[in-house]
Amino acid sequence: MQLLRRGDSGPAVVEIRSTLRQFGLMTGPAATPEDDRFDADTERAVRAFQQRRGLISDGIVGQATYRALREAGWTLGDRMLALLVSAPMSGDDVLALQERLLELGFDPGRPGGVFDEQTEQALRKFQREYGLVPDGMCGPATLRSLRQLGRKVTGGRPRLMREQEVLRQSGPRLRGKRIVVDPGHGGADRGVVAAGVAEADLMWDLARRIVGRMSATGMDAMLTRQEHTCPTETERAEFANTTGADLVLSLHTDANSSMHAQGLATYHFGNGTGATSTVGEALAGFIQRELLTRTAMLDCRSQARTWELLRLTRMPTVRVEVGYLTHLGDRKRLLDPAFRDVVAEGILVAVKRLYLLGQNDQPTGTFSFSDVLAHELERGGAQAI
């Protein structure tokens, strides 16, 4: 769909205003076909909705915001839920189903609001255990049982505890860990372009540096794209899910109309309603701190978002925005191969810190690639760095 912003008008604006009013974000009389203006009140309501849903609060209705508006209108019981491979069902009703299954002790994966294969498997298991037809569809009978039963898992957040336990059981060594590295954009999609420098090219180079270092430690590191291809976000997520990756690292740079905007930011999955990736949040924090210490870039913080790659991947995923290409200082850094080496090393060390779980750790910024490599090549790897 086309972007809708302040000053626009038409039937699509009427629909958006009506939806926002249903969510209590706009007051006053109901919208009419004649009242089709995207005015200041509409923009404020859109910003409030975006903030609530873990989206960029820019007041503009693009594809991600329109999707979120549509999904927020579903409640559990409004429709039959089932696995549709070609066009997976998504919405707040799917999210509610996933959270309910988790409460009952069944694992549909991280609650992202998308009815995928893991959600279907968890639903079938629930149906079998409670004497229902295990068809993997959430209809009236299954819904009644879900509502009647009490929780099996109490205290804490079960999915988050599962993520942490998987991390703990995997051990401190990097050898054998499967990591998907996602260089943003690619092919005809150049991403941010400033002063003749393209985001797609810089992130391709950075990704290869990271993969090279990871492979040297014994990790199974893979790229989501080739130099001249550009998969969709959904395709990148499907690649990570199919390969059974332990982690996903997505690499980007940012841009801003202001030449003064600069700095480093990391993003992990979080939907604003409590569902988040604990391990993803931890890794985002490690990467943020390591790179800030090593590069002295401006801290734009680690934040939760519901972007497609973050919510569609079944494993912890972090998006790293390495500076602003529209900022002269950040662009100068990114053009320096030595700087990209520093970033690659910092990201590798952050992944190592994640798996150390705080055991035998050292101050941020003190590990080097040589330190990590020496540990990984130790016979048996019994001791952490």
Side-chain angles (χ1 to χ4, degrees):
M1 63 167 290
Q2 66 178 24
L3 297 178
L4 295 174
R5 51 167 55 89
R6 188 171 179 177
D8 290 338
S9 60
V13 177
V14 174
E15 178 190 2
I16 290 167
R17 285 169 59 90
S18 177
T19 302
L20 291 168
R21 184 170 283 102
Q22 291 176 19
F23 299 151
L25 295 173
M26 294 192 70
T27 57
T32 65
E34 293 75 27
D35 185 17
D36 63 352
R37 295 169 293 110
F38 197 122
D39 56 15
D41 289 339
T42 306
E43 183 181 64
R44 281 193 292 270
V46 170
R47 287 182 184 273
F49 175 79
Q50 289 170 326
Q51 186 173 26
R52 179 189 296 181
R53 302 290 293 196
L55 301 167
I56 296 176
S57 301
D58 56 7
I60 299 172
V61 179
Q63 182 177 357
T65 299
Y66 185 77
R67 169 187 57 76
L69 284 165
R70 185 180 66 248
E71 292 179 354
W74 293 107
T75 58
L76 189 58
D78 286 349
R79 56 180 175 169
M80 175 86 74
L81 296 177
L83 177 64
L84 303 177
V85 178
S86 58
M89 302 181 76
S90 61
D92 282 16
D93 53 348
V94 179
L95 177 64
L97 171 63
Q98 292 169 329
E99 291 178 338
R100 185 63 177 136
L101 288 169
L102 279 170
E103 291 173 352
L104 293 170
F106 302 92
D107 184 14
R110 186 176 64 229
V114 178
F115 198 112
D116 56 12
E117 292 88 347
Q118 195 168 349
T119 301
E120 184 193 45
Q121 291 169 8
L123 183 58
R124 285 182 185 273
K125 186 175 181 181
F126 163 77
Q127 291 170 325
R128 280 193 297 269
E129 289 199 14
Y130 287 88
L132 302 169
V133 177
D135 56 10
M137 295 187 290
C138 185
T142 298
L143 190 59
R144 282 195 298 271
S145 296
L146 286 168
R147 288 172 171 167
Q148 290 169 357
L149 296 168
R151 295 183 179 184
K152 278 188 175 180
V153 180
T154 59
R157 291 181 287 182
R159 173 59 190 172
L160 308 187
M161 291 187 286
R162 286 191 179 96
E163 274 195 353
Q164 292 169 336
E165 182 60 16
V166 169
L167 179 69
R168 187 190 68 79
Q169 290 184 4
S170 67
R173 298 196 71 198
L174 297 180
R175 182 173 298 278
K177 303 293 194 298
R178 181 166 292 175
I179 310 296
V180 165
V181 181
D182 172 46
H185 308 281
D189 180 0
R190 312 308 294 146
V192 177
V193 179
V197 181
E199 175 185 6
D201 296 333
L202 288 172
M203 294 304 100
W204 171 255
D205 177 84
L206 177 59
R208 286 175 63 85
R209 292 169 191 265
I210 293 171
V211 167
R213 285 163 174 77
M214 288 184 167
S215 297
T217 67
M219 302 175 82
D220 184 7
M222 298 168 285
L223 293 164
T224 57
R225 69 170 175 90
Q226 300 301 313
E227 185 174 6
H228 302 297
T229 63
C230 184
T232 65
E233 293 286 282
T234 300
E235 290 169 340
R236 295 172 197 244
E238 288 176 353
F239 174 77
N241 292 336
T242 301
T243 58
D246 296 297
L247 300 172
V248 177
L249 300 168
S250 186
L251 309 173
H252 289 262
T253 59
D254 213 334
N256 196 282
S257 57
S258 170
M259 62 182 294
H260 301 294
Q262 61 174 303
L264 171 80
T266 53
Y267 300 91
H268 59 88
F269 173 76
N271 63 11
T273 63
T276 188
S277 169
T278 301
V279 175
E281 183 177 0
L283 178 57
F286 282 129
I287 293 174
Q288 187 77 9
R289 291 189 293 274
E290 282 292 335
L291 295 188
L292 289 175
T293 300
R294 293 163 188 266
T295 67
M297 297 182 77
L298 185 68
D299 185 5
C300 295
R301 301 185 303 281
S302 180
Q303 305 167 48
R305 289 288 185 267
T306 57
W307 296 332
E308 289 293 274
L309 187 64
L310 299 179
R311 78 185 191 118
L312 294 179
T313 45
R314 299 188 190 119
M315 65 292 300
T317 299
V318 172
R319 173 165 167 160
V320 187
E321 295 274 359
V322 191
Y324 284 71
L325 269 185
T326 47
H327 182 267
L328 181 60
D330 281 359
R331 185 166 68 246
K332 183 178 179 180
R333 290 188 181 99
L334 284 162
L335 284 172
D336 183 358
F339 174 81
R340 298 197 295 275
D341 279 336
V342 169
V343 173
E345 179 177 273
I347 289 176
L348 173 66
V349 168
V351 172
K352 178 62 177 177
R353 285 187 180 279
L354 177 74
Y355 285 108
L356 282 175
L357 294 174
Q359 299 297 313
N360 302 309
D361 209 345
Q362 294 182 17
T364 301
T366 61
F367 287 161
S368 68
F369 172 60
S370 297
D371 294 330
V372 175
L373 189 59
H375 171 261
E376 296 300 322
L377 295 178
E378 274 183 8
R379 185 175 179 180
Q383 301 297 320
I385 291 176

